């Protein structure tokens, strides 16, 4: 029996070609009977267009003679052509959107397969167990993914309708924050694979929960760093201050972190954010000392006004101006350190 890999990677499975073919047929709902040429012809889509789409989705390369497709591939190509025809997938956005789909689902599928493989190995019959698990689990996971997607669609639609400008432009004013683990490299060397995964998962889970509770959105996680956005700078600072406080508490397993927050114009595209505000937040995070939060002029002006160093009236925090941050692409990146109120405040 194959043993689970100690670092959490997918365990090695002794899978014969027949089992692999049966698994593919189970997951796709049919055995492959068509070549890519036949799929393109039946869908009414030029072969070169179909090949480009498959490449963008990250699917394996197939030759014109490989029988590797079925009716679901024909329907998928037809649906794609319909979206292009009605203008949902414009030539400008098609490539980027399809690549985003492909990367997102590839990562999700890899994680789910690893999870199923671990359970199959534990059952004593890896190949057969994986097939049985997939048949039992797949419909439930598929339904749950559809539910999660629709809930996020509803949330995104609500935010979009609340911001009238977002309907006509991809640019919006918002706060951007990076939360960065301090000493990640050193800590990762002292943990085995499973412990490191658990440590990072706790960081991502606790950070995401706090961001969502404040009406924000996690844009992406980059190993030891989380990037999130929120409409109001006060919410961004509150999140950053709470997380740095937790990281400074020896009794709290949350790791030590530092943060940088910037407020201003942000370009939104395919679930990601770009622009000088994002760059400023990143530079501030790099310049912040462990356990501290640095903010830019946009955040300071919104929350403290003309108050340079003390506690602004009505603000729950104190502000201390620090020397300008040296950052590539910025001639003058002003920064303030946010400090909690004194006990006698």
């Amino acid at each position: 029996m194959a043993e689970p890999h100690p670092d959490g990677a997918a365990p090695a499975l002794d899978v014969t070609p027949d089992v692999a073919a049966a698994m593919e047929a189970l997951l796709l709902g049919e055995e492959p009977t068509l070549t890519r040429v036949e799929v393109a012809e039946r869908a009414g889509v030029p072969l070169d267009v179909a090949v480009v789409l498959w490449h963008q989705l990250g699917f394996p390369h197939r030759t014109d003679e490989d029988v590797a497709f079925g009716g679901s591939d024909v329907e998928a190509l037809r649906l794609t052509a319909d979206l292009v025809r009605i203008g949902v997938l414009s030539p400008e956005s098609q490539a980027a959107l399809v690549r985003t789909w492909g990367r997102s689902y590839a990562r999700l599928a890899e994680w789910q397969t690893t999870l199923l493989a671990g359970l199959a190995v534990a059952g004593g019959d890896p190949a057969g167990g994986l097939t049985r698990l997939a048949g039992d689990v797949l419909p439930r996971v598929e339904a749950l993914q559809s539910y999660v997607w629709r809930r996020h669609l509803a949330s995104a639609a609500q935010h979009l309708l609340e911001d009238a400008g977002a309907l006509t432009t991809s640019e919006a004013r918002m706060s951007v924050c990076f939360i960065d683990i301090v000493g990640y490299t050193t800590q990762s060397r002292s943990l085995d694979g499973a412990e490191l995964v658990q440590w990072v998962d706790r960081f991502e889970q606790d950070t995401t929960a706090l961001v969502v509770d404040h009406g924000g959105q996690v844009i992406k996680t980059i190993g030891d760093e989380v990037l999130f956005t929120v409409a109001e700078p006060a919410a961004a600072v509150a999140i950053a201050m709470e997380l740095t406080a937790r990281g400074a508490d020896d009794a709290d397993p949350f790791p030590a972190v530092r943060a940088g927050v910037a407020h201003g114009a942000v370009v939104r595209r395919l679930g990601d954010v770009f622009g000088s505000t994002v760059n400023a937040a990143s530079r501030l995070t790099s310049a912040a000392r462990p356990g501290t939060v640095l903010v830019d002029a946009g955040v300071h002006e919104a929350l403290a006004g003309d108050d340079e160093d003390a506690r602004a009236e009505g603000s729950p925090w104190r502000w201390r101006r620090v020397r300008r941050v040296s950052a590539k692409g910025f001639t003058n990146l002003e920064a303030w350190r946010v400090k909690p109120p004194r006990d006698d405040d």
Side-chain angles (χ1 to χ4, degrees):
M1 181 178 73
E3 294 294 333
H5 198 281
D7 64 2
L13 297 180
D14 183 16
V15 179
T16 66
D18 289 343
V19 172
M23 173 63 72
E24 181 182 32
L26 173 66
L27 294 175
L28 297 179
E30 60 187 332
E31 293 185 0
T33 58
L34 304 172
T35 66
R36 68 182 191 180
V37 175
E38 293 170 327
V39 170
E41 289 177 348
R42 296 189 183 192
V45 175
L47 178 60
D48 58 339
V49 173
V51 170
V52 168
L53 285 172
W54 288 324
H55 283 167
Q56 291 170 345
L57 285 168
F59 295 161
H61 172 72
R62 302 293 185 182
T63 68
D64 289 351
E65 291 74 33
D66 289 336
V67 179
F69 302 90
S72 61
D73 298 290
V74 176
E75 181 62 17
L77 268 185
R78 285 174 178 164
L79 292 174
T80 302
D82 288 343
L83 292 176
V84 172
R85 177 177 53 79
I86 63 180
V88 173
L89 287 178
S90 66
E92 296 78 17
S93 65
Q94 175 180 310
L97 180 59
V98 172
R99 282 198 306 271
T100 301
W101 273 342
R103 285 195 298 264
S104 299
Y105 280 110
R107 291 180 61 188
L108 185 61
E110 182 178 357
W111 174 80
Q112 291 169 338
T113 304
T114 299
L115 178 63
L116 290 177
L119 294 174
V121 165
D125 177 17
L130 187 58
T131 302
R132 289 190 297 273
L133 278 170
D136 187 44
V137 172
L138 183 62
R140 293 172 170 83
V141 172
E142 190 170 19
L144 184 57
Q145 285 179 176
S146 178
Y147 161 77
V148 173
W149 172 62
R150 288 183 177 275
R151 290 294 300 181
H152 278 294
L153 275 180
S155 178
Q158 182 177 1
H159 288 309
L160 188 68
L161 294 174
E162 289 173 351
D163 182 3
L167 294 171
T168 57
T169 179
S170 60
E171 188 172 283
R173 289 190 64 82
M174 60 178 58
S175 292
V176 178
C177 179
F178 285 87
I179 304 291
D180 178 56
I181 296 178
V182 175
Y184 174 81
T185 301
T186 301
Q187 183 71 9
S188 64
R189 290 172 180 166
S190 66
L191 301 174
D192 64 29
E195 290 172 334
L196 179 60
V197 169
Q198 185 178 27
W199 187 61
V200 173
D201 278 350
R202 181 188 297 120
F203 163 66
E204 293 182 358
Q205 178 176 323
D206 289 1
T207 300
T208 299
L210 189 60
V211 169
V212 172
D213 284 345
H214 282 77
Q217 179 184 12
V218 172
I219 300 300
K220 56 187 171 184
T221 58
I222 317 164
D224 60 338
E225 195 170 55
V226 170
L227 165 61
F228 72 85
T229 61
V230 65
E232 299 299 329
V237 173
I239 295 167
M241 291 295 287
E242 181 169 340
L243 293 176
T244 52
R246 286 191 58 185
D249 184 354
D250 292 336
D252 192 325
F254 191 81
V257 296
R258 57 185 176 181
V261 187
H263 184 76
V266 173
V267 177
R268 299 175 295 191
R269 179 175 178 269
L270 294 175
D272 208 342
V273 289
F274 305 89
S276 61
T277 302
V278 181
N279 295 336
S282 177
R283 301 298 186 270
L284 290 169
T285 306
S286 299
R289 293 178 179 178
T292 66
V293 178
L294 291 184
V295 304
D296 75 339
V299 174
H300 182 264
E301 181 179 353
L303 300 181
D306 296 331
D307 191 333
E308 287 293 320
D309 299 304
R311 176 176 174 177
E313 182 178 356
S315 172
W317 306 291
R318 293 179 294 133
W319 311 86
R320 180 179 179 182
R321 188 162 189 165
V322 300
R323 60 182 178 83
R324 290 180 175 84
V325 175
S326 176
K328 184 178 180 181
F330 294 89
T331 57
N332 182 18
L333 182 53
E334 296 180 292
W336 284 259
R337 178 183 172 185
V338 188
K339 304 179 73 175
R342 297 186 183 93
D343 292 338
D344 58 353
D345 283 347

